[in-house]
Amino acid sequence: MHLVVTAHTPDGHLSYQRSSPEAALEKADELAADGHEWIVITDITGRHYQPGEFDDLFVHPGQ
């Protein structure tokens, strides 16, 4: 699986590639903890997900 985690910062965008949903969500949480805003996870089809939505759909569905 190919996922890109992106955060917008005053200096531009930060993007990180991850290969699993769990790793992508972990990176999104790290970026949020560092104070970054507008964090999204993008899948291979180009769809953007907010971290909470991504968690509900791909990491912990049905919880």
Side-chain angles (χ1 to χ4, degrees):
M1 182 175 271
H2 178 77
L3 301 161
V4 178
V5 183
T6 303
H8 294 261
T9 72
D11 297 324
H13 300 348
L14 296 174
S15 294
Y16 301 89
Q17 293 184 17
R18 295 294 182 261
S19 59
S20 74
E22 295 82 9
L25 186 60
E26 181 179 335
K27 187 60 180 179
D29 290 342
E30 288 175 11
L31 291 169
D34 288 343
H36 298 298
E37 297 180 356
W38 202 79
I39 300 164
V40 295
I41 300 170
T42 307
D43 67 15
I44 197 164
T45 67
R47 291 185 186 153
H48 301 286
Y49 301 92
Q50 299 296 321
E53 177 186 23
F54 187 84
D55 185 18
D56 291 342
L57 292 171
F58 302 105
V59 179
H60 298 105
Q63 286 187 351

